[in-house]
Amino acid sequence: MSEELLAERQRTADRRDALVEVNGLKTYYEGGGLLSSTPVKAVDGVDFQIQHGETLGLVGESGCGKTTLGRTLVRLEEATDGEVLFDGEDITTFSGKTLKRWRRDAQIVFQDPESSLNDRMTVGEIIQEPLDVHDWPEFSVRVEGAGDRTVRVSGDGTPVEEDGTADIVVTLTGDSAQASVRDAIPLPDEQVSVSVDDAGDTVDVTVTVHVAKLRVRRAYVRQLLETVGLREEHFYRYPHQFSGGQRQRIGIARALALEPEFVVLDEPVSALDVSVQAKILNLLDDLQDEFGLTYLFIAHDLSVVRHICDRVAVMYLGHVMEIGDTEELFENPKNPYTYSLLSAIPDADPTVTRQRVTLRGTPPSPRDPPVGCPFSTRCPVKIRPEEYRDVDDGVWEGIELLREILRERERTDRSLGERARAALGMETRFSDIDEIRHEVFGDHDVPDEVRRHVEQAVEYVRDGDEARAREYMAEEFGSVCDEERPAHHPVSESGRTSFCHRHDAAYEEPEPVFDDLLANRSRSR
Ligand SMILES: Nc1ncnc2c1ncn2[C@@H]1O[C@H](COP(=O)(O)OP(=O)(O)OP(=O)(O)O)[C@@H](O)[C@H]1O
C-alpha cells in the first residue's frame, strides 16, 4: 500500500469523533538544577487524539514524560506550546470561570493511594470536597412544553446552557407543571416544587428545592461509595483505616464525583497487590461503560495495557514514537523503540525462546535531548552511513558506544566518569581513553577504514579536545537519525503511525534489520 493511501486512511481514522485532540503539545519545566537555564523538555511536541469512550494507553520508560503529559491534559501543568482541544475547544487558553467549569469534565486518579488522600479528612469529606468547591449540584433546569414562549427560570434553579444535561426537567402541561430530577442526583421528585406564571409570550418558572444542597451532596457521596464497591458506613472513616485497593477506590470515587467525561489514570494499579489490581481494573472498566468515560491510562505494566486499552501510545523522551491499535501494536510493533520495549516482556509461553533486544544505557537527559531522532543514541537499528552498512554489528555497536561515552563525558564532570560508565553498563575502573577504546572494541576485528577514524577521535581526546572528538565521530559515523527529526509515518491501515526515519522509502524498514541483527547475534554465540 502506498504512503499516500495510508496517509489518506490515517486522515479518515482521525476524523472519527475525538473528545481530546492534542496538537504540537510541549511542556517544559524551567529552572532548577545546575543547568538552570536549560529547561527540562518533559513533553516535546506530541500529537494524538482520544475518541469518545476510548481508553488510550500511554507507556514508556521512567522519566519519558507520561505523567507530565497526563497532568497537562487536565491542566495540572501548564503547556509551554501547542494546543489541547477538548470537544474542539482549546483548554490551554481557558481561565477564570471557564477553566473552573471545565475542570469538572477532566479528572485524574493518582498512582499512590497512600499519599494522594489527605489523612486528616474522613472518606466522606475527601469525596465531597470537589462537590463543595463547585457548589454541586447546580440544579440546572430545562423547561419542556413551553412552545414558542420565552421561559424565565428563577428560585433554586438555573436555566441550563444550550443542550447541556439538566438536573431538573420541568414539564409544562396545560396549567400544571411537573418536575423530574435526573437519576444521578439523590433528590426525590416530590422534594422539588414548581410554580408557573404564564403571561402569554413569557412563562416564569420558579423552582424550589426543599432539601439543603449539603444533604443532597452527602447522599450522593454515599451513593458514590457504593458505586466504587465501598459501603455507606465508610463515610466517617479515615483513609489509613483502609487497604491500598480500598484507598484507590476512594480516589476513584473522588475523581468521578463531578461526573467527568475524561479521566487520566496515572498508574492507578501499580502500587497495588496483583490480586487487587484485577479488581480495580474491572471496576474502572465497569465505570467506563456505566458513565461513558474516556480514559488516558498511564502504565508501566505492558500486559495490563494490552488487556484494557483500545489503543496505545509509546512515549520516549517527550515524544510519541508509535501510536495505534493495541493488539496490532503488540503483535507487530513497527517502531524500533516499541520493538525493544516489547521484547523485554517475558513470553507467557516458556517453550517460546524469543530473542531479546537489550537496550544499552539509559535515555538521554530531557534537558539535552538528541537533535535528530530522540531514540538515535540507543537505537539498535539506527541507519548507518552508506559506506559502513556492511561493517560487523559488533564493531558498529562499539562505534555507537564510544560516541555515547564521549557524549556522557560531556554531560558529567570528568570526576564523575565512573558514574557515566556505570550508566552505560560498563564495569571498568579505568578512565583512560585508550583503555576505553580497548574495552569498547574488545576482540573485534576492526577494519582499517573504521580504525583510522576511531584513532583520530582518540587522538583528539588525548589532546584534551573532546568536543572535536565528538564532532569528528558524528561527521564520520553520523546519519540522518542523528541529524533530523523523523516524520510520523502511517504504518498500518488502521491509522497506526511510527516516528522513525526507517519508514522513509530511501531506507530499509526496521523489522528486517532487527531480524538480521538478531540472527547475526545468535550465530556469533
Ligand atoms: N516538577 C518538575 N520539575 C522539573 N522537572 C520535572 C518535574 N516533574 C518531572 N520532571 C522531569 O520531567 C521528565 C519527565 O517526567 P515524568 O514524571 O513526566 O515522566 P514519567 O514517564 O511519568 O516517569 P515515571 O514513569 O517515572 O513516573 C523527567 O526528566 C522528570 O525528572
Side-chain angles (χ1 to χ4, degrees):
M1 182 177 295
S2 73
E3 284 235 333
E4 286 75 7
L5 188 53
L6 276 169
E8 172 56 32
R9 296 215 169 144
Q10 159 75 17
R11 282 194 289 276
T12 312
D14 284 351
R15 274 200 296 271
R16 276 178 308 176
D17 197 10
L19 173 64
V20 180
E21 182 178 335
V22 174
N23 296 318
L25 185 69
K26 295 183 181 175
T27 308
Y28 292 178
Y29 294 107
E30 301 286 342
L34 291 170
L35 305 165
S36 56
S37 57
T38 325
V40 174
K41 297 172 179 171
V43 175
D44 201 13
V46 302
D47 307 86
F48 62 85
Q49 298 189 342
I50 314 179
Q51 315 301 324
H52 282 274
E54 184 183 44
T55 301
L56 176 71
L58 188 59
V59 300
E61 280 164 291
S62 189
C64 67
K66 304 182 294 295
T67 295
T68 304
L69 175 55
R71 289 172 63 88
T72 310
L73 297 194
V74 295
R75 283 283 305 257
L76 289 179
E77 300 293 347
E78 290 301 317
T80 308
D81 198 9
E83 52 180 23
V84 177
L85 304 180
F86 198 88
D87 266 337
E89 286 189 272
D90 185 2
I91 61 106
T92 63
T93 63
F94 285 4
S95 61
K97 273 193 185 149
T98 321
L99 177 60
K100 186 174 177 192
R101 177 64 194 81
W102 172 78
R103 281 200 187 282
R104 296 169 55 156
D105 291 338
Q107 297 287 325
I108 185 164
V109 172
F110 299 99
Q111 171 179 1
D112 186 1
E114 287 282 336
S115 58
S116 58
L117 305 177
N118 185 341
D119 239 330
R120 283 193 292 270
M121 290 165 82
T122 65
V123 167
E125 286 166 343
I126 289 172
I127 301 172
Q128 193 178 306
E129 191 181 40
L131 302 172
D132 294 337
V133 169
H134 286 270
D135 197 26
W136 186 97
E138 276 177 324
F139 294 134
S140 55
V141 174
R142 185 170 60 243
V143 177
E144 292 181 349
D148 293 339
R149 291 167 293 174
T150 304
V151 176
R152 288 193 302 219
V153 176
S154 59
D156 293 326
T158 47
V160 75
E161 286 167 27
E162 293 158 20
D163 2 308
T165 316
D167 295 335
I168 299 167
V169 175
V170 173
T171 313
L172 306 178
T173 36
D175 292 342
S176 70
Q178 205 184 347
S180 75
V181 180
R182 173 162 83 85
D183 281 351
I185 301 183
L187 172 68
D189 292 354
E190 40 302 356
Q191 298 291 352
V192 180
S193 55
V194 185
S195 67
V196 178
D197 184 6
D198 192 339
D201 288 350
T202 311
V203 194
D204 282 305
V205 176
T206 309
V207 175
T208 312
V209 176
H210 300 287
V211 182
K213 268 193 181 184
L214 202 60
R215 276 190 58 196
V216 178
R217 251 174 242 168
R218 293 211 163 153
Y220 179 61
V221 171
R222 289 195 167 83
Q223 205 171 280
L224 277 169
L225 283 168
E226 283 200 19
T227 305
V228 299
L230 295 168
R231 291 198 304 275
E232 275 193 36
E233 59 266 33
H234 290 148
F235 192 102
Y236 292 106
R237 300 216 189 131
Y238 288 88
H240 69 264
Q241 295 173 286
F242 292 87
S243 67
Q246 286 174 315
R247 275 197 293 263
Q248 198 52 300
R249 287 174 196 269
I250 298 165
I252 293 168
R254 182 182 156 99
L256 290 185
L258 290 163
E259 304 176 277
E261 274 190 272
F262 175 56
V263 184
V264 171
L265 302 163
D266 190 358
E267 308 230 18
V269 297
S270 310
L272 306 176
D273 288 346
V274 175
S275 58
V276 183
Q277 288 190 0
K279 290 187 187 149
I280 297 293
L281 291 173
N282 285 339
L283 170 67
L284 290 169
D285 198 29
D286 292 345
L287 295 172
Q288 182 169 40
D289 290 345
E290 192 176 340
F291 301 109
L293 299 170
T294 302
Y295 289 149
L296 177 73
F297 185 91
I298 300 175
H300 265 116
D301 187 336
L302 297 172
S303 55
V304 167
V305 169
R306 186 169 193 171
H307 189 62
I308 76 155
C309 297
D310 302 303
R311 287 188 310 134
V312 188
V314 181
M315 241 185 131
Y316 184 79
L317 210 61
H319 293 267
V320 170
M321 304 302 288
E322 183 165 1
I323 179 167
D325 175 83
T326 306
E327 215 31 57
E328 247 189 37
L329 184 142
F330 272 81
E331 274 296 312
N332 183 15
K334 293 287 186 191
N335 187 279
Y337 180 60
T338 317
Y339 195 103
S340 312
L341 198 66
L342 296 185
S343 110
I345 313 177
D347 209 297
D349 179 355
T351 60
V352 176
T353 47
R354 210 158 35 117
Q355 285 236 42
R356 302 209 189 293
V357 181
T358 315
L359 285 184
R360 157 170 43 82
T362 50
S365 161
R367 277 190 203 276
D368 181 25
V371 285
C373 169
F375 191 47
S376 60
T377 60
R378 299 168 84 203
C379 181
V381 294
K382 186 174 159 182
I383 296 163
R384 300 181 192 180
E386 190 74 45
E387 61 271 35
Y388 295 114
R389 297 240 160 115
D390 297 328
V391 164
D392 174 80
D393 290 340
V395 173
W396 188 258
E397 175 68 18
I399 293 170
E400 288 294 341
L401 185 53
L402 183 59
R403 291 187 64 195
E404 173 110 23
I405 291 172
L406 294 175
R407 279 191 297 265
E408 199 65 35
R409 279 161 68 109
E410 182 195 13
R411 273 197 290 274
T412 27
D413 189 271
R414 257 180 185 276
S415 61
L416 298 179
E418 279 304 315
R419 210 159 68 182
R421 284 189 295 283
L424 295 166
M426 298 173 67
E427 292 174 11
T428 48
R429 281 172 297 282
F430 52 75
S431 58
D432 176 70
I433 187 66
D434 291 296
E435 288 180 60
I436 289 177
R437 183 195 45 188
H438 180 71
E439 175 79 4
V440 162
F441 290 100
D443 303 328
H444 288 292
D445 188 11
V446 182
D448 283 345
E449 74 268 24
V450 172
R451 186 182 301 278
R452 203 153 51 83
H453 297 298
V454 169
E455 279 308 324
Q456 180 62 68
V458 165
E459 193 60 43
Y460 288 135
V461 176
R462 273 197 218 106
D463 293 347
D465 197 349
E466 297 211 6
R468 184 101 190 260
R470 278 193 305 277
E471 277 161 27
Y472 186 84
M473 290 290 281
E475 272 163 28
E476 191 52 38
F477 299 113
S479 72
V480 62
C481 302
D482 299 272
E483 288 146 19
E484 287 172 32
R485 279 265 189 269
H488 292 274
H489 294 266
V491 290
S492 87
E493 294 183 18
S494 65
R496 186 156 47 120
T497 59
S498 166
F499 188 59
C500 173
H501 285 297
R502 279 210 173 272
H503 305 302
D504 277 347
Y507 307 106
E508 202 176 355
E509 284 285 328
E511 211 172 343
V513 186
F514 264 117
D515 290 346
D516 280 352
L517 184 79
L518 295 173
N520 288 344
R521 268 189 206 168
S522 63
R523 263 199 300 277
S524 64
R525 265 193 199 122

